[in-house]
Amino acid sequence: MKAVVMAGGEGTRLRPMTSSMPKPLLPVANMPIMEHVLRLLKRHGLSDTVVTVQFLASLVKNYFGDGEELGMHLTYANEETPLGTAGSVKNAEDALKDDSFLVISGDALTDFNLSELIEFHRSKNALVTVCLTRVPNPLEFGITITDDEGRVERFLEKPTWGQVFSDTVNTGIYVMEPEVFDYVAAGESVDWSSDVFPQLLKEGKRVYGYVAEGYWEDVGTHESYGKAQADVLDGKVEVELDGFEISPGVWVAEGAEVDPEAILRGPLYIGDYAKVEAGVEIREHTVLGSNVVVKRGAFLHKAVVHDNVYIGPQSNLRGCVVGKNTDVMRAARIEDGAVIGDECLVGEESIIGANVRVYPFKTIEAGAVVNTSVIWESRGQEHLFGVRGVSGILNVEITPELAVRLAGAYATTLKKGATVTIARDHSRGARALKRAMISALQTSAIDVRDLENVPMPVARQHTARGSAGGIFLRTTPGVPDSLDILFFDERGADLSQAGQRKLDRVYARQEYRRAFPGEIGDLTFPSSVFDGYAGNLLRAVDTTGVREAGLKVVVDTAHGSAGLVLPSILGRLGVEALTVSGGLDEARPTEDAEERRAGLARLGELVASSRAAFGVRFDPVGERVAFVDELGRVIDDDRALLVLLDLVAAERRSGQVALPVTTTRIAEQVAAYHGTQVIWTTTTPDDLAKAASAEGTVFGGDGRGGFVVPEFSGVLDGAAAFVRLVGLVARTQLTLSQIDARIPQAHIRRRDIATPWAAKGMVMRSVVEAAGSRLLDTTDGVRVVEADGRWTLVLPDPAEAVTHLWAEGPDDAATEALLDEWAAVVDGAGR
């Protein structure tokens, strides 16, 4: 049997290490990752190997040659352009078409028993066997589900936390029959997991999964690169080390000179012909490459030093990576997480701060203190996006520097000359940082439309009118000292998960586009923004019968920007409106839960005393609304969703409504009663927007005061929901309390359980296993449906070490019992 080693990836997340070196050549314990892979193949009798190459292909070919030194026979299949995981193997079809073959990545460290994998493949007479393993964090991998016989039932490529229903992932190691090439188009970019395997499953082909025991690490990030080094030295992975173990855990390669007065605290590795002088202290998990010189008094701990590096006297290296041919001069200090590229000079007594990236061929001057990466700007945090976009404490986490870098990264994901719409709430912090982001956008060849202070729905709608994307800055709801930076796509909807990942990657690589002087973007200030929005809204939403009904409503704008657009709407709508809390207050750009409750209570009193049809209260940016009925009673957000759903469905009598899976199933009863159908979505705003924008959708909502009016736009819009409610109440001539009374009561509860990040995948697998034969819905997280219709949803939080649980039963006691049952499962698996 032949093997295929895929070695064409760029390894962009590992820059600057991979700026001048292909990822498969990165050394682990002073040996390229790909050499570890080739030696594993040879141990299992796979000496005849094809290597697929693309990025810096000549370096891979020059290093390994024809494989003679390893006792193997290597040939190469070169890609002119990236062809994807399947396309690259298809490119080598001529060498593989006669027999079964094994595919393995050239940049993943493993000691799996490949012979057992091959034997399993043959015993199942499989077309494809996928090698699987279990990992604590499945987000960056493809999840695979198999039945009891090992046959693959489902693939999911790079899920979000809401889609994680197992911790069994695809390792990218496959055993295949040549017939699989019939499903791969030649010369095109094709991937196994996203393109080929789903088609094979659809046609019922024999695709099996083999869960391998042993070590596997996808060396794709700086963190995993350091972990792989430590795991090799700790003996957690079975690999060959070139050298001699002179004392427990201390490996020294041929020709190395270590002074007897040097202090060595293993496990560590010293490469061939390295020189370590007296007074040096080298501590655990340090790896020195070939020909490294470490001068007297230097201290190294968890440092990975590539070949031909000079480490000066009294220098201090902790938890860092130093690229080949670099000089680190006297008393220099390199902190944890820093990465120094190839052929750099780090001057005397300079300090490289934690997590700083210094790209190849750079000079750090003597005495310099470097806290930002030496390229354009400093690195990004591990997870940019949370549930509210990019969020943090103003001038601590969300600084002007971060705002500029973030805008530059966003601009780099767009084409030159594209237009971005930007807006803000009425806070001073948002106003200041918006100006910084505008400058970064313009200098990245982006034209900017500045709407200044407008409600968020107005910014979304304006973005959808010819912009490539949008940015909105607002105070974090309920947290006055924090700021959210939200990014929109060309539809004005929240940036998708894929878009967020793309922006995250560009930001982390710090490779921002800069415009030539003649390409600097324009800055414009659109006029008549509010009038245009109000006119479009009133033309799109049915307001028939409003003037004739003579409705009176009370509107509370919570001192927010909704008060800027409502005069343009109320004047044309034909209702008698009492508007309160209309002035903007820069000192109060948001409100906490207690202030919101007090505001709703005051609104209820005004509605009851003025005998209004109902009251509505907007959030400070006009995105969400809360309702008070004609009796002055506050309608809870989840109940308001059912009330508005009942009104819309009763009038439309057809179509579909988009709701997140956390919504009570009473919504299905209400929709079905009126002849409409519920489309369940994930809890992400972009997914709800997509479903709400689909043809035939008549309504959408998130159960938290956010409503979508599809005839106007596909995003949450408080003003649009208000106008639609006015029209519906006017035409039905029913009060909100009457509508509420005819809808069954829901018994749905939520609970949050602290879950370590490393345990989230295990938690979700435990939930699936505990469900047994019960019906599972994996739209978002895992929803377990009991035979009597009761259900529980288990959903990992994408930004915090928390797992969310929702449950619904016939009464409160049954719902609490469900929560207790599944909380025990989650808590037990997370320990």
Side-chain angles (χ1 to χ4, degrees):
M1 181 181 287
K2 290 186 177 181
V4 182
V5 175
M6 294 186 290
E10 294 188 33
T12 53
R13 291 180 297 170
L14 283 165
R15 293 179 181 174
M17 288 189 286
T18 53
S19 296
S20 54
M21 179 191 299
K23 185 178 170 184
L25 291 186
L26 281 180
V28 173
N30 205 36
M31 183 184 296
I33 306 173
M34 183 171 152
E35 186 170 342
H36 287 296
V37 172
L38 292 174
R39 292 189 181 203
L40 175 68
L41 292 173
K42 185 185 176 185
R43 290 201 297 272
H44 291 279
L46 298 163
S47 298
D48 196 354
T49 298
V50 182
V51 182
T52 65
V53 290
Q54 196 266 323
F55 177 68
L56 298 177
S58 60
L59 296 182
V60 177
K61 294 179 182 178
N62 291 340
Y63 186 92
F64 292 105
D66 60 5
E68 182 179 0
E69 290 186 8
L70 294 172
M72 302 181 71
H73 177 251
L74 302 183
T75 56
Y76 297 87
N78 192 64
E79 304 170 41
E80 296 300 324
T81 58
L83 295 175
T85 55
S88 63
V89 179
K90 174 75 171 182
N91 193 44
E93 181 179 5
D94 290 342
L96 304 168
K97 60 186 177 183
D98 296 325
D99 196 4
S100 309
F101 58 90
L102 181 141
V103 178
I104 191 169
S105 172
D107 51 32
L109 187 65
T110 182
D111 59 7
F112 287 161
N113 190 325
L114 302 181
S115 299
E116 290 183 0
L117 171 64
I118 294 169
E119 182 180 345
F120 176 90
H121 173 82
R122 288 172 171 162
S123 70
K124 297 295 184 180
N125 192 28
L127 174 62
V128 174
T129 296
V130 181
C131 186
L132 308 173
T133 193
R134 293 191 171 99
V135 298
N137 184 352
L139 283 190
E140 294 301 319
F141 309 104
I143 289 180
T144 306
I145 296 295
T146 61
D147 63 16
D148 294 338
E149 299 297 320
R151 193 154 184 167
V152 173
E153 295 181 330
R154 185 178 176 192
F155 287 101
L156 182 61
E157 190 71 5
K158 292 193 177 180
T160 64
W161 270 121
Q163 297 169 317
V164 170
F165 45 80
S166 174
D167 61 351
T168 305
V169 302
N170 179 359
T171 65
I173 304 173
Y174 315 114
V175 182
M176 299 178 162
E177 299 301 318
E179 290 87 339
V180 77
F181 288 126
D182 296 339
Y183 295 84
V184 184
E188 297 181 11
S189 181
V190 183
D191 283 314
W192 292 120
S193 294
S194 57
D195 300 319
V196 179
F197 293 163
Q199 184 62 32
L200 295 178
L201 294 183
K202 185 177 180 181
E203 295 185 17
K205 300 297 182 182
R206 297 180 66 81
V207 180
Y208 281 81
Y210 172 81
V211 182
E213 298 293 331
Y215 181 92
W216 179 79
E217 181 69 38
D218 176 35
V219 186
T221 64
H222 295 100
E223 292 75 18
S224 62
Y225 181 68
K227 181 178 183 298
Q229 308 280 352
D231 289 344
V232 168
L233 295 175
D234 287 335
K236 293 181 179 179
V237 52
E238 208 174 304
V239 297
E240 300 172 24
L241 290 177
D242 290 341
F244 310 94
E245 192 173 16
I246 62 173
S247 63
V250 177
W251 290 82
V252 178
E254 179 183 1
E257 296 180 28
V258 181
D259 192 284
E261 293 185 19
I263 301 171
L264 307 180
R265 303 184 187 278
L268 58 86
Y269 184 93
I270 298 174
D272 53 306
Y273 302 104
K275 183 177 181 180
V276 179
E277 293 188 350
V280 168
E281 183 174 353
I282 302 178
R283 304 196 64 171
E284 61 266 26
H285 299 155
T286 293
V287 175
L288 302 184
S290 302
N291 304 306
V292 170
V293 175
V294 186
K295 302 297 286 184
R296 181 182 297 270
F299 177 90
L300 294 88
H301 183 206
K302 295 184 179 179
V304 179
V305 182
H306 293 181
D307 296 346
N308 307 311
V309 170
Y310 172 87
I311 306 294
Q314 288 83 51
S315 55
N316 191 306
L317 282 66
R318 299 171 183 265
C320 58
V321 177
V322 180
K324 64 180 185 293
N325 303 318
T326 287
D327 293 332
V328 180
M329 307 310 289
R330 181 187 63 82
R333 184 181 184 94
I334 305 177
E335 297 287 2
D336 186 67
V339 179
I340 312 299
D342 297 343
E343 302 193 42
C344 289
L345 174 63
V346 180
E348 291 186 357
E349 299 186 358
S350 59
I351 299 175
I352 309 295
N355 301 312
V356 166
R357 308 287 186 251
V358 179
Y359 274 60
F361 314 110
K362 298 295 189 294
T363 296
I364 305 300
E365 295 181 359
V369 178
V370 182
N371 290 316
T372 58
S373 295
V374 183
I375 173 172
W376 279 294
E377 267 296 352
S378 63
R379 81 173 186 103
Q381 61 197 79
E382 184 177 0
H383 300 289
L384 268 179
F385 286 88
V387 294
R388 298 180 305 271
V390 181
S391 302
I393 301 171
L394 181 63
N395 277 337
V396 176
E397 296 167 297
I398 304 296
T399 63
E401 295 86 356
L402 180 138
V404 168
R405 296 194 298 270
L406 200 54
Y410 183 53
T412 304
T413 67
L414 305 174
K415 294 181 179 179
K416 282 188 176 182
T419 298
V420 167
T421 295
I422 191 167
R424 62 173 177 86
D425 69 2
H426 57 284
S427 66
R428 292 184 178 183
R431 178 172 58 191
L433 293 194
K434 178 177 66 68
R435 292 170 178 169
M437 297 189 82
I438 288 173
S439 298
L441 292 168
Q442 288 183 273
T443 54
S444 298
I446 297 295
D447 294 334
V448 181
R449 295 176 182 167
D450 184 5
L451 303 185
E452 301 186 286
N453 176 23
V454 299
M456 190 185 298
V458 175
R460 290 185 186 275
Q461 195 216 41
H462 209 283
T463 299
R465 298 171 64 187
S467 295
I471 301 173
F472 192 90
L473 296 89
R474 70 170 182 189
T475 304
T476 303
V479 189
D481 61 349
S482 291
L483 196 74
D484 299 340
I485 302 176
L486 294 93
F487 292 87
F488 305 152
D489 62 15
E490 70 281 358
R491 299 171 296 124
D494 284 37
L495 204 60
S496 67
Q497 295 286 324
Q500 291 179 15
R501 284 176 173 168
K502 182 178 180 181
L503 176 53
D504 215 334
R505 286 195 300 271
V506 174
Y507 182 85
R509 293 202 304 263
Q510 306 174 54
E511 296 175 349
Y512 313 132
R513 181 180 67 218
R514 293 290 180 256
F516 295 109
E519 297 176 325
I520 301 296
D522 292 331
L523 174 62
T524 57
F525 299 88
S527 60
S528 304
V529 172
F530 297 130
D531 286 342
Y533 170 86
N536 291 335
L537 174 59
L538 294 174
R539 282 190 294 271
V541 179
D542 186 3
T543 58
T544 305
V546 171
R547 291 188 179 277
E548 293 77 8
L551 293 177
K552 182 178 183 179
V553 296
V554 182
V555 179
D556 185 345
T557 60
H559 298 289
S561 55
L564 300 174
V565 72
L566 281 173
S568 299
I569 296 172
L570 295 171
R572 309 182 205 179
L573 189 57
V575 296
E576 181 184 349
L578 170 61
T579 304
V580 296
S581 304
L584 296 178
D585 185 354
E586 288 187 351
R588 296 171 56 197
T590 186
E591 57 184 7
D592 59 26
E594 183 56 39
E595 288 172 330
R596 181 176 184 270
R597 281 193 293 271
L600 285 170
R602 287 193 300 272
L603 176 63
E605 293 171 359
L606 287 172
V607 170
S609 62
S610 64
R611 298 184 180 180
F614 62 88
V616 60
R617 191 171 197 269
F618 291 85
D619 73 354
V621 294
E623 184 177 46
R624 301 177 184 277
V625 288
F627 299 116
V628 170
D629 68 16
E630 77 285 357
L631 303 176
R633 297 180 303 192
V634 178
I635 304 175
D636 291 338
D637 287 341
D638 53 355
R639 198 70 188 168
L641 176 66
L642 296 177
V643 168
L644 204 50
L645 168 62
D646 183 80
L647 282 167
V648 172
E651 183 170 86
R652 292 299 183 92
R653 297 287 176 179
S654 65
Q656 59 194 30
V657 296
L659 304 173
V661 291
T662 52
T663 307
T664 170
R665 266 46 191 178
I666 297 293
E668 281 186 318
Q669 300 177 29
V670 173
Y673 180 80
H674 296 298
T676 57
Q677 178 185 2
V678 174
I679 302 298
W680 297 110
T681 76
T682 72
T683 53
T684 58
D686 64 293
D687 202 18
L688 178 63
K690 288 177 185 175
S693 301
E695 186 176 355
T697 303
V698 298
F699 176 71
D702 65 2
R704 295 182 293 115
F707 300 95
V708 182
V709 180
E711 59 264 40
F712 176 58
S713 71
V715 298
L716 302 181
D717 190 327
F722 165 66
V723 172
R724 193 175 199 187
L725 178 62
V726 168
L728 290 167
V729 170
R731 289 189 292 276
T732 60
Q733 296 186 350
L734 292 174
T735 65
L736 295 190
S737 64
Q738 289 173 331
I739 300 164
D740 188 12
R742 72 187 188 185
I743 300 172
Q745 289 297 316
H747 301 276
I748 188 168
R749 297 287 185 273
R750 172 178 166 172
R751 189 178 299 177
D752 295 339
I753 298 177
T755 307
W757 281 102
K760 284 190 175 183
M762 187 186 305
V763 164
M764 300 312 291
R765 176 163 59 88
S766 299
V767 169
V768 172
E769 291 172 351
S773 60
R774 283 172 281 197
L775 177 65
L776 296 182
D777 173 12
T778 57
T779 301
D780 200 11
V782 174
R783 189 170 72 93
V784 183
V785 184
E786 310 290 337
D788 59 1
R790 295 175 301 143
W791 59 270
T792 308
L793 174 66
V794 183
L795 179 65
D797 190 282
E800 299 178 9
V802 169
T803 299
H804 305 296
L805 276 70
W806 284 264
E808 183 172 26
D811 53 52
D812 290 342
T815 301
E816 287 297 328
L818 270 179
L819 280 177
D820 291 341
E821 175 188 352
W822 289 100
V825 174
V826 172
D827 198 37
R831 290 186 182 275

